[in-house]
Amino acid sequence: MEQRLTHEEVTELSEALRCIRCGFCNSVCPTSLIPEAYKPSRTARGRMVLIQSALSGLNLDLFDGDVAELMDLCYGCNRCLAVCPAGIPIPDLIRSYRHALLKREGERERVIGFYTETLPQLFGLPGPLRRLLLSIAPKRLIAMYLGLATDVELPVPEGVEVREVMRRTGVLGGDDAELAYFADTYYRYVRPSSLEPLLHALRELGHKLSFPRQWDSGVLLWEYGDRDGLKALAERNVASLVREVERGRRVLTTSPAATLMLREVYPRILRTPEATSVSRAVVDVCELMLELSESVPERLAVRENAVTLHSSCFSQHLGLTPKLIGALEGLGVKVVAVRGECCGVGGLWGLLKRNRKTSLRVAERLISHLEGPVVTYSETCHLQLEGLCGPRVRLPFQLIAPRERRR
């Protein structure tokens, strides 16, 4: 049965009517650049045309299963924002569409609940019980339940929370902390050990970090249209982080998704002075590494002399890639090439079974250009590229180490 758009939904999607169908978005959209996109409906412009058709009174049900599948080819990379001559916020329109779809279906992706709700509950258990459950958990069955592809390894938590790693490395501070660390779910629960090189370096440089009360950034809720869930998380995170800002601390992030949420998305959805204060206090780890490379390069060592840099979608959108290049080169790492093609992961989008084939097709445009050691700044890009290229792929802060002092 055809499902009509409500008046509110029509208003939200009406920006699509300004689309002049130039196709500039197609030239940068990762899923529009693969062979399967020979069908116009499978392109970024095609998605705008579908919305235009529904708004113009044509007999098109935007919530039909086949149409929903076409709309889902957008995974919010934000690349189109830089090229659209009409200034249409295409990813925001897709998120509005997903919000409308979620209201009708009433069921979101299982993997979202796993990372935003189940993991925090798991880490609320006593350590021994938590580690036991993680050790006996049927990982493949869980991956199937979550809808992950069979060639994807479920990112299983290491069993310790990042606060424990911070304490062990000696960087966890109290009143003397100058940075407040916002970890987000991946580094808090899943791979906190990835941060050890950065934490050791900060400790040796005399920096201390606080670890305020915090929750998931909500990036998955944002991408998949769960506005109520996102707003609730944003309000709680801002209420906690603004207290750190009032103490004169900057908010350190180690994920471009977390930086995007705190710096751009929270102020837009909350529209409060507190959200603006937190936004202005955010320092991304690429920016922090650049500061360190300019102030104390002699006190840091690097683990690679030359790397190929993969510039992730959100890194490009946030303008972090030039800062990361400056940081690496300032520390003595030669960046032999910068590749801006998308790896196809799109957060968790490309890890889902229904999207995996398209994800790998997108990745094909990038993989052949990645030679030698590779650096990528995105936890999910790292998962994707490590799975496709092996252990030579690293996160930028895994390259640094404190230089041994001469006695």
Side-chain angles (χ1 to χ4, degrees):
M1 184 172 119
E2 185 178 350
Q3 301 184 67
R4 296 287 182 180
L5 292 165
T6 66
H7 176 74
E8 180 184 6
E9 291 164 352
V10 168
T11 301
E12 288 190 8
L13 295 173
S14 62
E15 290 225 56
L17 296 174
R18 297 195 292 110
C19 173
I20 59 175
R21 306 189 184 186
C22 65
F24 283 14
C25 52
N26 286 358
S27 70
V28 296
C29 171
T31 58
S32 299
L33 295 172
I34 60 176
E36 288 80 358
Y38 72 90
K39 295 180 180 179
S41 60
R42 292 181 63 87
T43 65
R45 176 174 57 187
R47 291 187 279 279
M48 290 300 97
V49 172
L50 287 171
I51 295 175
Q52 284 182 335
S53 300
L55 295 177
S56 300
L58 298 182
N59 189 25
L60 174 69
D61 181 4
L62 271 182
F63 306 107
D64 173 77
D66 291 337
V67 177
E69 186 177 324
L70 293 171
M71 299 294 280
D72 194 45
L73 287 170
C74 170
Y75 48 72
C77 70
N78 284 347
R79 292 170 183 254
C80 54
L81 294 175
V83 300
C84 177
I88 300 170
I90 297 174
D92 284 343
L93 295 187
I94 301 300
R95 293 179 192 111
S96 293
Y97 165 78
R98 287 190 174 126
H99 175 66
L101 184 64
L102 181 63
K103 286 195 298 184
R104 285 160 176 79
E105 294 185 342
E107 194 173 305
R108 65 187 186 188
E109 298 285 349
R110 289 173 176 172
V111 71
I112 297 176
F114 179 76
Y115 284 104
T116 61
E117 297 169 7
T118 304
L119 283 188
Q121 291 170 359
L122 179 63
F123 275 79
L125 298 173
L129 177 57
R130 175 209 318 155
R131 287 187 281 274
L132 173 64
L133 291 174
L134 287 171
S135 67
I136 64 174
K139 299 175 182 60
R140 179 44 51 195
L141 288 178
I142 293 174
M144 290 174 60
Y145 173 76
L146 297 178
L148 299 184
T150 54
D151 68 317
V152 171
E153 188 149 340
L154 177 69
V156 178
E158 294 172 335
V160 297
E161 191 179 353
V162 72
R163 180 194 290 272
E164 298 173 48
V165 179
M166 293 169 67
R167 184 180 293 111
R168 186 173 68 238
T169 54
V171 79
L172 184 64
D175 292 338
D176 57 341
E178 57 199 87
L179 294 167
Y181 179 43
F182 182 78
D184 212 353
T185 294
Y186 185 80
Y187 293 116
R188 183 175 185 179
Y189 299 125
V190 183
R191 292 288 183 274
S193 66
S194 301
L195 296 164
E196 288 194 22
L198 172 67
L199 299 180
H200 280 298
L202 291 176
R203 180 201 62 201
E204 289 300 312
L205 294 173
H207 295 285
K208 292 287 188 177
L209 277 61
S210 68
F211 190 72
R213 199 173 182 201
Q214 56 190 262
W215 294 263
D216 184 85
S217 72
V219 65
L220 293 176
L221 301 179
W222 178 58
E223 290 291 359
Y224 285 91
D226 187 349
R227 293 179 182 172
D228 294 337
L230 170 60
K231 187 175 181 182
L233 284 176
E235 287 174 341
R236 284 188 283 174
N237 279 324
V238 166
S240 177
L241 293 174
V242 76
R243 290 194 286 270
E244 300 293 313
V245 176
E246 289 168 352
R247 294 186 179 102
R249 293 170 182 154
R250 294 189 293 173
V251 179
L252 174 64
T253 53
T254 52
S255 157
T259 302
L260 177 68
M261 298 304 288
L262 268 60
R263 189 172 279 175
E264 293 187 6
V265 178
Y266 283 12
R268 196 191 330 162
I269 63 172
L270 297 182
R271 301 182 182 276
T272 63
E274 292 80 7
T276 301
S277 294
V278 170
S279 170
R280 290 173 177 167
V282 170
V283 56
D284 184 90
V285 71
C286 294
E287 297 163 339
L288 181 64
M289 287 178 61
L290 180 60
E291 291 176 13
L292 297 176
S293 73
E294 293 172 343
S295 60
V296 288
E298 72 284 352
R299 295 188 60 185
L300 291 171
V302 291
R303 292 180 166 86
E304 298 289 352
N305 295 320
V307 299
T308 296
L309 176 63
H310 168 241
S311 177
S312 68
C313 298
F314 282 179
S315 292
Q316 292 181 42
H317 171 73
L318 292 164
L320 295 173
T321 300
K323 297 175 182 178
L324 180 53
I325 294 172
L328 293 175
E329 293 184 339
L331 293 171
V333 180
K334 182 180 180 181
V335 180
V336 297
V338 179
R339 303 305 310 190
E341 297 92 339
C342 181
C343 73
V345 74
L348 291 176
W349 182 93
L351 304 181
L352 295 174
K353 183 178 180 180
R354 68 169 186 271
N355 302 326
R356 191 60 178 161
K357 181 179 178 182
T358 302
S359 171
L360 295 177
R361 289 292 261 172
V362 171
E364 287 174 2
R365 301 184 64 251
L366 169 67
I367 298 302
S368 62
H369 300 291
L370 298 181
E371 299 180 355
V374 176
V375 169
T376 184
Y377 179 44
S378 163
E379 60 271 36
T380 50
C381 291
H382 182 256
L383 282 173
Q384 174 90 320
L385 294 179
E386 189 176 48
L388 297 175
C389 302
R392 62 190 176 99
V393 182
R394 291 186 177 182
L395 296 157
F397 43 79
Q398 291 179 315
L399 294 184
I400 63 174
R403 191 179 297 277
E404 292 185 12
R405 297 180 184 178
R406 295 181 180 177
R407 298 187 180 276

